[in-house]
Amino acid sequence: LAQGLPPVQSCCPLLAAMGIGRDSRHKHYKTGGRSKTSIKKRKYEMGRPATPCKLGAKRVRSVRCRGGNMKYRALRLDSGNYAWGSENVTKKVRILDVVYNATSNELVRTKTLLKNTVVQIDAHPFMQWYLKKYGVDVGKKKKGAKEGEKAEDEQKPGRHVVAKQKARAAKQKLDVGLEDQFQSGRLLACIASRPGQCGRADGYVLEGEELAFYKKKLEKKKKN
């Protein structure tokens, strides 16, 4: 450049102020016309880039929001609180795998945890609770005398406890779909919280018609 000339300025000064906005002033009318921008951007219209939560060792970041409120942005999670609705019990369990997402198979491939994602969780905390309440080991198949000998070696509960367990078990009927899953040690569950907003991946165990629905989806996915 020749000496004495002013420095070259950016051809597009708006690039420096670009960001994610949630306003509607910049949009076209239904007829195709554009409105004149009467005011500049406002902070209350600000948006933030999406940060999807992945399956992995826990990593959560806090974000300060309008009014001093806080959001907790989960970047990695590997456990959560899951409710077994029909039994009215909740346990903290490990999330083992992501198996289905209605939005995209890409989210399954990358193991992204979002609300309403179907995941596989560890069934052992629920199996231990079921054994304690009903005296039935749902995770093991009957293997005859050998298993009976092992059971004798273990400490047995008192007669009063056994009577209570039998009375409960007489009224209890376990869902066939859940019983098959207990054999494998994994349960299908659905995430009900929003990991990117509250920093948690909590949800509920799938059962009944909802379980049958997602099983059909997974079988269809395998065929394809």
Side-chain angles (χ1 to χ4, degrees):
L1 292 171
Q3 291 182 353
L5 290 175
V8 178
Q9 292 183 349
S10 171
C11 59
C12 191
L14 287 174
L15 284 173
M18 281 182 72
I20 299 171
R22 297 179 296 112
D23 66 301
S24 56
R25 290 187 305 278
H26 67 283
K27 294 189 174 181
H28 288 258
Y29 298 130
K30 284 183 181 178
T31 51
R34 296 197 69 174
S35 60
K36 288 185 179 178
T37 14
S38 54
I39 60 170
K40 292 183 181 179
K41 293 178 182 177
R42 297 289 184 256
K43 194 174 181 182
Y44 56 77
E45 295 165 346
M46 181 185 73
R48 293 186 184 88
T51 49
C53 176
K54 301 292 177 72
L55 187 62
K58 186 178 178 182
R59 191 188 300 169
V60 180
R61 298 288 180 265
S62 56
V63 180
R64 188 206 181 266
C65 305
R66 184 175 167 84
N69 298 308
M70 299 297 288
K71 283 184 181 180
Y72 298 96
R73 189 85 78 230
L75 306 178
R76 302 274 188 282
L77 286 174
D78 59 355
S79 64
N81 296 327
Y82 284 81
W84 187 358
S86 61
E87 290 296 331
N88 199 24
V89 64
T90 302
K91 294 287 175 187
K92 185 177 181 179
V93 294
R94 287 185 304 123
I95 301 169
L96 303 174
D97 198 9
V98 178
V99 292
Y100 181 76
N101 192 306
T103 307
S104 171
N105 286 334
E106 187 69 12
L107 298 171
V108 178
R109 190 186 66 78
T110 54
K111 297 188 188 302
T112 305
L113 302 175
L114 302 169
K115 185 176 178 177
N116 219 40
T117 299
V118 177
V119 293
Q120 277 187 338
I121 59 171
D122 183 19
H124 289 89
F126 290 110
M127 284 157 63
Q128 289 166 359
W129 174 85
Y130 200 89
L131 178 63
K132 193 175 179 182
K133 185 170 183 181
Y134 296 106
V136 179
D137 195 347
V138 288
K140 289 183 181 177
K141 293 177 182 178
K142 293 178 182 178
K143 294 178 183 176
K146 286 185 180 179
E147 193 171 310
E149 287 170 12
K150 286 180 184 177
E152 285 175 11
D153 297 336
E154 294 173 8
Q155 192 178 0
K156 288 185 176 180
R159 284 182 299 168
H160 181 66
V161 175
V162 171
K164 282 175 76 174
Q165 287 176 340
K166 282 185 178 178
R168 288 173 187 155
K171 299 173 187 175
Q172 166 66 9
K173 190 179 179 183
L174 187 64
D175 187 358
V176 180
L178 282 177
E179 198 168 356
D180 295 338
Q181 289 183 73
F182 275 122
Q183 302 290 344
S184 64
R186 294 178 169 219
L187 294 174
L188 286 175
C190 184
I191 297 176
S193 66
R194 299 169 69 194
Q197 304 292 317
C198 64
R200 297 161 67 108
D202 300 339
Y204 57 94
V205 175
L206 293 173
E207 48 189 333
E209 290 181 6
E210 195 173 6
L211 176 60
F213 173 82
Y214 283 113
K215 272 190 170 180
K216 279 182 185 176
K217 290 283 185 186
L218 290 170
E219 284 168 16
K220 191 178 178 182
K221 189 180 160 190
K222 281 180 185 176
K223 287 176 184 177
N224 295 337

